[in-house]
Amino acid sequence: SSLLRSAVPDKIRFNIKGGFILVNPDEILYCLADANYTDVVLTTETKYTLSQNIGTVEAILDKTFFYRISRSIIINLKYIAGINRTKKICILSYGNKSFQLPIAENRIADLESVLH
């Protein structure tokens, strides 16, 4: 495994049914909890269902770049385009695509302080 780490230093390993995937964290747009599983949506528009819950995924991801906006969603701060406080929506943008994700009301001020 030390060989693997040196071969792909920037990738994170996630478990999926029947194996695992290696993902560059820069390619993760957001993660969405689904009971004991987590859907990871990539900038390539690929979606993987991980056999890990969102708490486990959150522990793997670097807090510098990832932020949990609600009980069920973690976003990549690199792609944040804005927040709509009225609608409680966090807007992510990648290329010419935009993603609107619900943000917990109690996380809005905290996220704003993270982004200052």
Side-chain angles (χ1 to χ4, degrees), residues 2-116:
S2 63
L3 178 67
L4 180 67
R5 220 169 297 154
S6 60
V8 283
D10 301 330
K11 303 229 172 180
I12 302 175
R13 177 183 161 157
F14 291 115
N15 296 328
I16 56 171
K17 191 174 181 199
F20 65 90
I21 54 168
L22 293 171
V23 178
N24 181 329
D26 278 354
E27 292 178 352
I28 298 172
L29 275 169
Y30 62 92
C31 305
L32 183 63
D34 181 9
N36 292 328
Y37 298 92
T38 304
D39 289 333
V40 171
V41 179
L42 304 181
T43 54
T44 56
E45 294 186 50
T46 312
K47 183 176 96 174
Y48 290 103
T49 299
L50 310 180
S51 48
Q52 291 161 295
N53 68 31
I54 197 148
T56 306
V57 173
E58 184 181 27
I60 295 169
L61 295 171
D62 185 338
K63 302 278 181 291
T64 319
F65 307 107
F66 292 90
Y67 185 84
R68 193 159 177 178
I69 60 168
S70 69
R71 272 184 47 221
S72 56
I73 302 171
I74 300 170
I75 62 164
N76 187 335
L77 293 170
K78 181 176 174 177
Y79 300 111
I80 190 161
I83 287 177
N84 182 321
R85 284 196 198 95
T86 317
K87 294 182 179 168
K88 297 185 195 63
I89 287 173
C90 180
I91 301 146
L92 299 185
S93 170
Y94 176 76
N96 56 5
K97 294 208 164 36
S98 179
F99 304 84
Q100 299 196 358
L101 302 166
I103 181 169
E105 191 164 14
N106 63 344
R107 303 301 278 160
I108 294 174
D110 188 53
L111 177 58
E112 287 174 354
S113 72
V114 169
L115 296 169
H116 49 255

